[in-house]
Every structure is written in C-alpha cells, then in structure tokens.
Amino acid sequence: MTENAYPGLPSPPPLGASALPPGTYEGHTVLVTGGGSGLGKAIATEFARLGADLVIVGRTADRLKAAQEELGALGGRVTASVCDIRDPERIAEVFDAAPVLPDVLVNNAAANFPVPAEDMSPNAWRAVVDITLTGTWFMTREFGRRHLAAGTPGSVINVGASYAWTGGPGFAHSAAAKAGVKNLVETLAVEWAPYGIQVNGLVPGLFPHADLPEAIRGNLERTDDDKASRQPALRVGQARELGWAATFLASPYARFVSGHTMVVDGANWQRRNVVNAPVVPVREQLGRGPYGQ
Ligand SMILES: CCCCCCCCC/C=C/C(=O)SCCNC(=O)CCNC(=O)[C@H](O)C(C)(C)COP(=O)(O)OP(=O)(O)OC[C@H]1O[C@@H](n2cnc3c(N)ncnc32)[C@H](O)[C@@H]1OP(=O)(O)O
Ligand SMILES: NC(=O)C1=CN([C@@H]2O[C@H](COP(=O)(O)OP(=O)(O)OC[C@H]3O[C@@H](n4cnc5c(N)ncnc54)[C@H](OP(=O)(O)O)[C@@H]3O)[C@@H](O)[C@H]2O)C=CC1
C-alpha cells in the first residue's frame, strides 16, 4: 500500500472493534449533521454500534434514507430529517420532531472546495461560511437552549480542520470558517460547563472517501495527497478511527474533557522539513492561469 520503505503508523483494529464497553450509549440519542454520508456516517456508525439511537440530518432525502437503513441495521432507532443547517427555523422543527432531545450533537456537516482567494465570488465565500460556521452555530444554539431549559447535560462535538490553526492556502473560506468553529468550542465550553454541557472539537486529517464532492476528491487526486507516501504516518485515516475518537469524547470516560480539539491526522499538520519544499503559488497548484488575463 505504501511506496515508502518505512512501516509508518500501524493500521487500526478492524471495523466493528471498540475501546468502549458495549452498550456505552444505550438510552442515549446522538444527532449527527451530515450523518447520511462520508465521515458523518462513519461517526454515526460507531455511536450506533455502542447502542445509541440516532438523528441524522442533511439536505438530500435519498442519501439520508439509504443511510437510515444502513445505520438502522445496527439495532438502534434512526430518525432521518431533511434540513439545511443554514435555516434556524427548520433546525427548531428537527429538534421538535426528534423522538427525544438528543444528548450528543455532532456538528459534522460542512462545505468546501479549493479556489484561489482572488477568484472567490462573494456568494462562494457566503456558501462555505454560512454552512460551515453559521450552520454549526445555529445547530449548537438550538441544542444548548433546549438543554439549559430542561436542566439536562449534553455533549457537543464540532468537526473541524487543522487549517483552523495554520491557515489553508486555496481554502480561505473554509479555513476561516473552521477557525471560527474551533473558537466556538473554546467559548462555549466555558460558558456552558456550569450547566453540564461539554463542548469539544474533533479534527480529521486526510480521510479520502467516495462520498466527497468532486472538487475535493479531484484536489486530493491531483496533488497525490491521498497517497500514503505524502503523509508522515505513511497512510491516510480510516473513517472508523474518527468515529472512535468521537465516541470517546462524548462518553462518560471523557467527562472532564471540555474545550479541547483533538486532531486525528497522524501528525500531518505538524509536518516541517529539514529542507524547505519549493514554493508553488496556489493558482499553479490548482492548474489556474495567471490572474486577470
Ligand atoms: C495539503 C492540503 C491539501 C488539501 C486538503 C484538503 C483538506 C480538506 C479539509 C476539509 C475538507 C472538507 O470540508 S470536505 C467537505 C466537503 N463537503 C462539501 O462541501 C459538501 C457540501 N457542499 C456543497 O453543498 C457545495 O459544494 C457548495 C458549493 C459548498 C454549497 O452548495 P450551494 O448549493 O449552497 O451553493 P451553490 O449555489 O452551488 O454555490 C454557491 C457559490 O459557490 C460557488 N462555487 C461552487 N463551487 C465552486 C468551485 N469549485 N469553485 C469556485 N466557486 C464555486 C458557486 O459558483 C456560487 O457562487 P456564484 O456563482 O457567485 O453564485
Ligand atoms: N474528508 C476529509 O479528509 C476531511 C474532512 N473534514 C471535515 O469532516 C467533516 C465531514 O466531511 P466529509 O464526510 O469528508 O464530507 P462530505 O462532503 O462527504 O459530507 C458532508 C455532509 O454534510 C452534509 N451537508 C452539507 N451541507 C449541508 C447543509 N447546508 N445542511 C445540512 N447538511 C449539509 C452533506 O449532505 P447533503 O449534501 O445531502 O446536505 C454531507 O452528508 C466536515 O466537517 C469536513 O470539513 C476535515 C478535514 C478533512
């Protein structure tokens, strides 16, 4: 699998294994935005394996229906709600329609595509920031208000990206939005801890998968970033590794962990080189011609 002579980080245990006791989430309900596909579905899967009921949210009914069947086969009750997380009124309806108030919220849905900053239209910026940051806030606000009113504890996990710390050339909109998502973790963890609500972040490294939109998948393929030899770990992430981290963060074994963002990326974001790699402008990396010509 690797073009490199070194072993890299070991492979994880197989799908279906878990570090947490069976039944850890029995009697609990977990709401996952974007739970109908990709990493959101993988996170939902690990909660379901541990006994959770699920509410999955996304814009595409067919995608949600297929995931509802797949996740339902793991034994729990799965409610699928079509909702654009940019719409706060629809979000309130989703919470109203849920069988119970979910006690875990995973803000996984996000939007992204690579684009040189100078090419980005106002609407392109708005679409990514409105989904990734504002949508995450709308979901979290509804969850927090309902738990505060009910006097019940809860746990929020915001899925982020490491360019929240580093900046992300070619992804100015998404990197700025993810920086906001990470910052919300730190603010809300303090503000809501007295009410029993934990707020944490979870950052995937490169986890290529078939559900990714073409623009992102194409980027990974074009830059060879999905190749093991481009990662310090000499492998990419397996979706279940992200799911395991999420189930730990919301579990009783992590009750004193709040305001923390955990990075699951095999140290890719810490990579520095003894000799600098040549600088290639983003336009060139994305195969775009000179600006303004
Ligand atoms: C080393 C590291 C390696 C790189 C490593 C990569 C690290 C990745 C880290 C993070 C990964 C992820 O987040 S992966 C998650 C990705 N998943 C998603 O994006 C799923 C959801 N995405 C979507 O729904 C769509 O892609 C999206 C466009 C964002 C939103 O859809 P909407 O229907 O709301 O919006 P639209 O009307 O289609 O488009 C809104 C505007 O955006 C513009 N737009 C749309 N696609 C565009 C594109 N490819 N390039 C420019 N502009 C674009 C349109 O032209 C519109 O602007 P006007 O024409 O001016 O009106
Ligand atoms: N894959 C990777 O390598 C990395 C991923 N991440 C992060 O991981 C998370 C999951 O990404 P991934 O699974 O790869 O991406 P996908 O594109 O596969 O999944 C995104 C999900 O979010 C849903 N969604 C998008 N927009 C909205 C919206 N407005 N309202 C409701 N749901 C929406 C989509 O469903 P629908 O279109 O039907 O609405 C889809 O189910 C994201 O936060 C992403 O930023 C971070 C770093 C790397």
Side-chain angles (χ1 to χ4, degrees):
M1 141 179 172
T2 167
E3 300 160 9
N4 198 297
Y6 301 99
L9 293 181
S11 297
L15 188 65
S18 173
L20 291 172
T24 295
Y25 284 98
E26 255 158 41
H28 295 270
T29 299
V30 180
L31 192 162
V32 185
T33 64
S37 70
L39 301 184
K41 191 167 75 177
I43 289 170
T45 297
E46 295 307 323
F47 278 105
R49 281 189 204 287
L50 291 166
D53 291 329
L54 297 169
V55 178
I56 55 171
V57 161
R59 294 166 300 177
T60 318
D62 290 351
R63 175 179 256 182
L64 286 178
K65 180 99 187 68
Q68 185 182 29
E69 277 170 26
E70 201 179 312
L71 293 165
L74 296 170
R77 176 174 53 192
V78 182
T79 306
S81 291
V82 174
C83 171
D84 189 322
I85 60 168
R86 289 170 284 192
D87 178 352
E89 285 170 14
R90 179 64 195 138
I91 289 172
E93 289 169 6
V94 167
F95 275 88
D96 285 341
V100 296
L101 175 59
D103 43 10
V104 178
L105 167 65
V106 182
N107 283 309
N108 162 81
N112 197 11
F113 46 80
V115 58
E118 63 276 13
D119 285 354
M120 198 186 312
S121 72
N123 210 25
W125 171 272
R126 261 185 229 114
V128 170
V129 174
D130 284 357
I131 295 173
T132 305
L133 176 57
T134 311
T136 292
W137 164 240
F138 287 163
M139 289 296 305
T140 309
R141 172 183 179 276
E142 196 62 44
F143 180 87
R145 286 163 71 94
R146 288 178 187 242
H147 278 288
L148 261 60
T152 45
S155 181
V156 179
I157 297 175
N158 284 351
V159 178
S162 60
Y163 47 40
W165 289 277
T166 63
F171 299 96
H173 45 10
S174 169
K178 291 292 195 185
V181 164
K182 176 188 159 289
N183 193 269
L184 265 181
V185 166
E186 287 142 17
T187 298
L188 297 177
V190 173
E191 207 165 323
W192 289 350
Y195 308 110
I197 298 178
Q198 287 169 264
V199 187
N200 287 297
L202 178 60
V203 164
L206 291 177
F207 282 72
H209 59 81
D211 294 338
L212 277 170
E214 180 49 39
I216 294 284
R217 221 179 33 250
N219 187 67
L220 295 178
E221 284 159 10
R222 190 172 46 246
T223 61
D224 272 356
D225 276 322
D226 59 345
K227 297 269 170 34
S229 60
R230 299 285 178 117
Q231 302 280 314
L234 302 181
R235 68 174 180 85
V236 293
Q238 300 294 316
R240 60 188 180 278
E241 297 183 284
L242 198 69
W244 290 330
T247 53
F248 169 70
L249 281 175
S251 78
Y253 306 95
R255 285 288 178 254
F256 208 50
V257 181
S258 197
H260 176 69
T261 293
M262 181 190 283
V263 183
V264 182
D265 82 336
N268 192 40
W269 81 289
Q270 305 286 15
R271 183 169 49 179
R272 301 290 183 278
N273 291 305
V274 176
V275 178
N276 276 343
V279 172
V280 182
V282 164
R283 298 195 72 77
E284 214 173 295
Q285 291 181 45
L286 293 177
R288 306 280 181 107
Y291 188 65
Q293 291 182 18

